[in-house]
Amino acid sequence: MTNLHFKSMNSEEIYAALKEDILNLRLAPGQFISENEISKKYNVSRTPVKTAFLRLSSEKFIEIVPQKGTYVTLLDMELIKEIIYMRNVLETTVIKGVIGNIPDEILCKLEENLKKQEAIVSKPEIDPSEFYAVDSQFHGILFDFAGKTKLWEVIQEFQVYYTRFRMLDIVAVGKFDRLYEEHFELFEIIKNARVDKLDEIMDRHLHGNINRLGDKIYNELKDYFIQK
């Protein structure tokens, strides 16, 4: 019988796997996790897990509380509102700077992205992380064309809070079709250079997750948020 040797995961791979689980809410805000539990899950020693935990802690994905344990960080609603405000101002400004001068090549990229979104929302079982990835690509295309790639990267740095909140919207409410429709509406506004319609759709689109979640934030989902 041939002996099969499986490569053990290193700290970088464990970090990436845990980060993905946190961002996709497979590890929920406030959930307890332990080095022993993760070591057993990935069949590794505690050393690479400890290294991964320290990195995740430095990036605010988890909180290591002495004598108590390690927890996935809670969501900060006040900070999330500020991030949404910042993104609304920045993205609206970026689009206004290029609207009316967007070449067919970029419009085609946006259309192709919309087709991917439509295909995902048409599935009987939807993978929220798949939809979120394509959703983010749609906005990234506009930042790239405007020469604001670094600005888009800065926005993505807030993913520990904002990405999880958007995923919470997608998972808890599940209105994928509505999100697709908003992207389609935004595309039509951009395609037809309707600057007069831009502020309204951007405000509605970026604040939509707060509106859709509504009272859930303060009721059944309240344990996911910092209580102030």
Side-chain angles (χ1 to χ4, degrees):
M1 182 180 292
T2 303
N3 289 324
L4 297 178
H5 298 281
F6 296 96
K7 176 181 175 292
S8 295
M9 293 180 72
N10 58 36
S11 62
E12 177 68 28
E13 292 167 329
I14 294 169
Y15 159 82
L18 290 173
K19 179 179 176 180
E20 182 180 353
D21 283 346
I22 292 169
L23 289 176
N24 291 327
L25 303 180
R26 289 191 286 268
L27 289 173
Q31 182 173 334
F32 172 79
I33 59 174
S34 72
E35 290 179 11
N36 283 336
E37 170 194 347
I38 301 302
S39 296
K40 289 177 182 177
K41 178 178 179 180
Y42 294 115
N43 193 28
V44 296
S45 71
R46 289 178 60 181
T47 301
V49 176
K50 185 184 290 290
T51 301
F53 270 31
L54 289 172
R55 183 174 175 188
L56 289 165
S57 175
S58 71
E59 295 177 6
K60 309 299 184 185
F61 285 96
I62 62 174
E63 181 179 8
I64 301 172
V65 184
Q67 280 77 54
K68 287 191 175 182
T70 301
Y71 302 85
V72 177
T73 51
L74 294 170
L75 296 169
D76 186 332
M77 195 63 224
E78 293 307 312
L79 179 56
I80 288 166
K81 288 178 180 178
E82 289 188 24
I83 294 167
I84 291 172
Y85 174 81
M86 176 190 73
R87 181 173 169 186
N88 192 5
V89 171
L90 291 176
E91 188 161 2
T92 302
T93 302
V94 166
I95 295 174
K96 282 182 177 178
V98 296
I99 197 168
N101 296 296
I102 299 178
D104 290 342
E105 176 189 356
I106 300 302
L107 292 174
C108 285
K109 282 186 178 182
L110 293 171
E111 276 190 303
E112 286 300 314
N113 181 280
L114 285 171
K115 288 176 183 176
K116 290 179 183 178
Q117 290 186 42
E118 185 179 22
I120 292 170
V121 301
S122 300
K123 293 179 181 178
E125 294 292 332
I126 301 174
D127 178 357
S129 60
E130 181 186 14
F131 182 85
Y132 180 80
V134 178
D135 173 332
S136 295
Q137 287 167 8
F138 179 88
H139 295 276
I141 289 168
L142 292 166
F143 277 82
D144 286 344
F145 170 69
K148 304 296 182 184
T149 305
K150 292 295 182 184
L151 187 57
W152 180 243
E153 290 174 1
V154 169
I155 292 172
Q156 299 310 297
E157 288 177 7
F158 291 99
Q159 60 184 341
V160 63
Y161 299 108
Y162 187 50
T163 297
R164 287 192 295 162
F165 183 68
R166 294 194 67 204
M167 282 299 297
L168 188 61
D169 170 27
I170 290 171
V171 172
V173 182
K175 292 194 177 293
F176 296 92
D177 53 344
R178 184 63 195 136
L179 292 168
Y180 162 71
E181 288 165 7
E182 288 175 0
H183 285 127
F184 185 82
E185 187 177 349
L186 176 58
F187 170 75
E188 288 295 314
I189 287 170
I190 292 169
K191 180 181 177 180
N192 296 304
R194 293 298 306 271
V195 182
D196 58 313
K197 299 286 187 180
L198 186 60
D199 287 329
E200 189 275 331
I201 181 60
M202 289 301 297
D203 184 72
R204 176 157 45 88
H205 181 54
L206 295 177
H207 285 88
N209 40 23
I210 292 179
N211 297 329
R212 282 185 293 272
L213 285 168
D215 290 339
K216 291 178 185 287
I217 294 170
Y218 307 101
N219 294 305
E220 59 257 50
L221 299 176
K222 65 180 172 55
D223 290 341
Y224 287 176
F225 294 86
I226 295 171
Q227 302 301 313
K228 296 182 178 179

